[in-house]
Amino acid sequence: MKKHLLFLILCLMGILTSCSQKHTRYYIGVSQCSDDEWRHKMNHEIVREALFYEGVEVEIRTAKDNNQNQIEDINYFIDRKVDLLIVAPNEAAAVTPVVEKAYGLGIPVVVIDRKILSDRYTAFVGADNCEIGKDVGPYIVNRLGGKGKILEITGLEGSTPAMERHKGLADALKEEPGIEIAASVDGAWLQSVAGEKMDSMLQDNKDIKLVFAQNDRMAVGAYLSARQRQLEKEMLFVGIDALPGKGYGVEQVLEGVLDATFIYPTGGDKVMQVAMDILEKRPYERDTKLSTALVDKTNARVMQLQTDHIAEQDGKIEHLNNQVDEYWSRYSAQTMFLYACLIILLLFAALLAIIVRAYWTKNRMNLELSRQKKQLEDQCDQLITLSKQLEEATHAKLVFFTNVSHDFRTPLTLVADPVEQLLEDKNLTSKQQSLLKVVHKNVNILLRLVNQILDFRKYENGKLELVRTNMDLRAQLQEWSHAFQTLALRKHIHFVLDVNDDRTDYLMALDAEKMERVYFNLLSNAFKFTPENGTITVTLSTLVKEENRRYARLIVADTGSGISAQHIRHIFDRFYQMDVNHAGSGIGLALAKAFVELHGGVITVDSAEGKGTVFTVDIPMEVMEAVDLMQEPHTTQPTVVEELEEKETEERLPDEHKECILIIDDNADVRGYVKSLLKEEYTVIEVADGHAGLKKAMKYVPDAIICDVMMPVMDGLECCRMLKMELQTSHIPVMLLTACSLDEQRIQGFECGADSYISKPFNSKLLLVRLRNLIDNHKRLKHFFGDKTTLAKESVSEVDKGFVDRFRGLIEENLSDAELSVEELGSRMGLSRVQLYRKIKALTNYSPNELVRIARLKKAASLLASSEKTISEITYEVGFTSPSYFTKCYKEYFGESPTDFLKRRG
């Protein structure tokens, strides 16, 4: 029913639209050569006559006496595909080719007033200009009594009326020897030009008795020129056109300006009649000649009265036409209103029918819905109960796994790393190595599962956070893919990594650990479900999404068994498993989705059974700017723990030539294992709780401290905080060691001043490397601002020594430059801003800006101690832009203000 109603509406709208529009049958173009009163009268007659023919549209363009303009106008009408073209040529020779072009294209051409130099036109309408010239001749002979000089002012040279009128006059006077044409000049049909030519002729010919101008305007121009010389009464002025109206030829005769004028009929109505005969295939005359007549004082008044009457009738006709248009508009509006009312009635009827039917349908459905509602309410209550039970069970399961996972991490530490060390033993038999590899593999699997459970627990609590660093994703993918090459060879799988454009920069701010786990999870699934001789393809490319943001697109595609539509909807749901044949924890893909979304990205899957699976990951390509710390971090003023100020007997360390490491851990096995790792290179002191560790640290002042977090008496966080508050131990690097990997605890540790953090189970090499870096970084910073000669005594590479010396030299040379920037320093060192930041941070644990500020403060302290300069002078000399900011930085770094120092110095 709705379809039929829509069809009816469309039909009625079409009828309504067609009835309200006027149809154009013929489109006629008119190209006029000039824009004068004679042309205006002709144009008016053409338009008026067109009103008597239904569906005729007339467009008139004027060339303003310019050949090129008229050629363009005619081409315009040709391009518009007019049904008929009316042309009044400006100059015959110039316009003839384009008129022939229109005629050759099949467009009927009516030439009016002036002719072209060809017979390739349809019809001509106009007066016989040669005959007009011949009629003027006898009148001149009669008025001059057969004797006297005359001046002829012709129209535009090259126009056929000018040539024909001159020829007719010459033919009429050739038998009259007493009449002499003193001169024939070109007046260009214009009054001003004719006046100039007349003025020029009167300088040499003052005995002219009559002036004949080929139109009334030029005759008036000649009269005005003669009047300026007071010669107007000595000669007669004759023109052609005899236009009615103020200032035109008939009026000029009545006022005595012109002696006579000859009618040159416009014939616009006749032109339109011939045009319609041609268009409607009626007989017509190819050459239509318009008659002429003399107008002088004897008949000028009568002619004026006749033309006034004609003008009055024209006005009435125009008024009637306007009324017809108005009535037509009213008729169209009323017709549209009528059809609109019909449409509204039909719509109302259809709507009423739909409403009645909908009402019946609604009553029937309400009965059905009321029955279903009761069932749904019962089911809803059951689902709510089951949902709560499921949520509680899931929460309990996650809490259980989280707690168990925490307990697993400590023993895993004592299993994983010893196994790795045993595998490096060259004396093992092949069987022993094989067994150890099995142990090592399963320890890693267990550790990965533990980490997944802990991360998923943090994700469930909304506390999973990113640790972004700038990394080259393409390089990382290549590195991570190496781990699967052996598996690919063993399973005979064709494994391909394809980067679409090697020139693209894939430097992005990512959490490397989480992205690695996303990649490993997707590849592990691909290898799990891809049979032998299958293919796994990894593709990396870029694309642009909304708001012109660039994304990196990672696609992992395999030719495996695929996933059915039933399962693919739940593939990212937690704990979801497809069937018993695809075992797993059920949180790998859910966790991968969480990691991708944390990066602001999207992960999707497309799969079909038997055709393989495609995982697509889109991540925004954003780069993290290196952060330059411009202010010293606020530190709590040191406090004194009175209970630790007891005197103890000084003990000597076993080996004073080795660096000293303090281990604080309540687990004796862990302490023993860590000590076994360190004892060859370091002197090791160990204690079982934080309280004892604090006392040992204040007594021995070790080079570094390794401290567990969960301990009795005083935990590791409190111990770290106390160590960083005490003046004796605040400089010692502290590495926290824990079985808990929650970010909240890491944050607390760093807030307490920890320098590094290692989670159990840890890799022994990682522990040793981090410990060595902590100690070396502390030494580099110490020697960077100390005596230059001490730098060479430390275990720093020769390259780093030269780099540090160059950087320190640049700082010292430019201390007074307040605009000194990291970009400028990097440019002079041959590095980018990011490269310089990373290099300096790696060597000193400080950013370049921090080192510049510290150097300025030390230089300022030296000047305060050794010169008599004011604080303001020193401020600007060392490159600070504000004395107040200099004072603030100085006090934060040295513990007292510059003013206090000067007072103390005396």
Side-chain angles (χ1 to χ4, degrees), residues 312-374:
E312 182 181 355
Q313 296 301 317
D314 287 346
K316 291 180 179 180
I317 292 172
E318 187 172 354
H319 176 70
L320 289 173
N321 180 67
N322 291 336
Q323 284 188 324
V324 169
D325 288 341
E326 182 180 355
Y327 293 149
W328 174 257
S329 299
R330 290 180 183 178
Y331 170 75
S332 298
Q334 291 172 354
T335 303
M336 291 180 66
F337 179 74
L338 176 62
Y339 281 112
C341 290
L342 290 175
I343 291 173
I344 292 173
L345 287 174
L346 288 173
L347 289 174
F348 180 78
L351 182 61
L352 183 62
I354 292 172
I355 291 174
V356 172
R357 182 178 179 183
Y359 177 76
W360 291 338
T361 305
K362 178 183 176 183
N363 288 338
R364 187 172 64 254
M365 293 181 65
N366 283 341
L367 293 175
E368 180 67 23
L369 289 173
S370 61
R371 290 193 297 269
Q372 295 179 359
K373 181 180 178 183
K374 180 62 177 175

Side-chain angles (χ1 to χ4, degrees), residues 457-475:
R457 175 61 174 163
K458 287 187 281 186
Y459 172 66
E460 288 284 301
N461 293 334
K463 297 179 179 179
L464 188 63
E465 298 179 353
L466 297 179
V467 181
R468 291 179 182 263
T469 56
N470 289 335
M471 56 175 277
D472 187 343
L473 182 58
R474 172 171 49 205

Side-chain angles (χ1 to χ4, degrees), residues 488-600:
L489 291 173
R490 187 169 67 249
K491 292 189 68 175
H492 304 289
I493 291 176
H494 183 52
F495 178 38
V496 179
L497 173 61
D498 179 24
V499 179
N500 285 356
D501 187 357
D502 292 338
R503 297 172 296 179
T504 303
D505 183 7
Y506 286 94
L507 185 67
M508 301 167 59
L510 303 172
D511 187 320
E513 178 186 356
K514 291 180 176 58
M515 282 305 302
E516 180 182 14
R517 289 168 66 178
V518 170
Y519 187 61
F520 271 61
N521 194 294
L522 296 180
L523 273 187
S524 297
N525 281 337
F527 276 98
K528 181 189 299 184
F529 296 107
T530 302
E532 289 193 357
N533 300 317
T535 301
I536 297 176
T537 304
V538 177
T539 304
L540 180 63
S541 62
T542 62
L543 72 158
V544 177
K545 288 190 177 182
E546 69 281 354
E547 298 179 358
N548 293 326
R549 293 183 65 190
R550 294 183 68 238
Y551 282 73
R553 168 163 287 183
L554 174 65
I555 299 176
V556 179
D558 64 63
T559 58
S561 56
I563 306 171
S564 67
Q566 173 189 356
H567 294 300
I568 201 167
R569 294 195 301 268
H570 307 286
I571 196 69
F572 294 114
D573 294 349
R574 61 182 184 180
F575 306 126
Y576 182 79
Q577 295 178 338
M578 289 187 292
D579 53 59
V580 296
N581 296 322
H582 298 95
S585 64
I587 63 173
L589 288 176
L591 197 58
K593 183 175 184 290
F595 288 166
V596 171
E597 290 176 348
L598 277 177
H599 284 86

Side-chain angles (χ1 to χ4, degrees), residues 16 69 161 205 224 271 331 536 578 630 787 795 835 883:
L16 181 60
N69 288 347
N205 299 279
L224 294 175
V271 171
Y331 170 75
I536 297 176
M578 289 187 292
M630 297 302 298
D787 183 9
S795 56
Q835 290 172 329

Side-chain angles (χ1 to χ4, degrees), residues 37-92:
E37 60 276 5
W38 193 87
R39 301 291 168 185
H40 291 170
K41 188 171 186 299
M42 177 188 285
N43 293 340
H44 178 73
E45 291 171 349
I46 291 173
V47 173
R48 183 187 62 195
E49 187 69 19
L51 296 175
F52 294 99
Y53 302 96
E54 183 182 356
V56 176
E57 179 185 352
V58 177
E59 182 178 359
I60 301 174
R61 298 172 73 92
T62 179
K64 297 184 182 296
D65 302 308
N66 184 286
N67 293 328
Q68 185 59 37
N69 288 347
Q70 187 161 40
I71 292 171
E72 292 176 0
D73 290 344
I74 295 174
N75 281 321
Y76 164 82
F77 287 127
I78 292 173
D79 294 339
R80 293 288 301 272
K81 295 182 171 55
V82 293
D83 296 295
L84 184 138
L85 180 63
I86 299 173
V87 180
N90 186 53
E91 292 186 12

